[in-house]
Amino acid sequence: MRWPIVLLAALLVLLQYPLWLGKGGWFRVWELDRQLELQQQANAAQRERNAALAGEVRDLQQGSLAIEERARYELGMMGPDEVFVSIRKPAAGGLGTETPEVATR
């Protein structure tokens, strides 16, 4: 009477193997689900980055204010009727007697 129980248990294990460890088993599904979640997070971050870049491109194409701002801060340019004032911090041991540089255009 014992051998039918052992035979049925072995058959049950053989039937369960593909479900858990096979090519399309639960462990594989869980792994793919985890990979999908990570990829969706990466895609969301890239979507935000793309939206910011698209806004910057739109600003550069439509208005001169963005171009002017970049020219000022990145290239140090200034307009024809502007005055440039540079104030330097005093040296570590100095008394702050340095004068600021002023340039006009």
Side-chain angles (χ1 to χ4, degrees):
M1 189 70 157
R2 184 173 170 113
W3 66 271
I5 294 174
V6 172
L7 180 66
L8 288 175
L11 186 61
L12 181 65
V13 168
L14 287 174
L15 289 174
Q16 290 289 315
Y17 175 79
L19 178 65
W20 291 98
L21 303 172
K23 193 175 193 180
W26 284 109
F27 291 126
R28 177 74 174 144
V29 170
W30 288 333
E31 176 63 24
L32 289 175
D33 190 41
R34 188 186 64 81
Q35 288 177 4
L36 177 64
E37 189 173 321
L38 290 174
Q39 188 62 49
Q40 287 174 341
Q41 290 173 356
N43 289 350
Q46 290 297 320
R47 256 187 240 106
E48 289 177 18
R49 180 178 175 266
N50 288 345
L53 288 174
E56 189 173 339
V57 166
R58 191 173 36 259
D59 286 344
L60 289 173
Q61 287 176 341
Q62 292 178 355
S64 62
L65 292 177
I67 296 171
E68 202 172 308
E69 180 183 350
R70 281 191 174 232
R72 287 180 198 282
Y73 292 109
E74 292 180 8
L75 302 175
M77 299 176 95
M78 56 186 188
D81 57 345
E82 294 178 341
V83 176
F84 175 72
V85 178
S86 174
I87 300 174
R88 295 185 182 181
K89 293 182 182 179
L95 299 174
T97 58
E98 298 177 11
T99 59
E101 295 178 20
V102 177
T104 59
R105 257 184 154 185

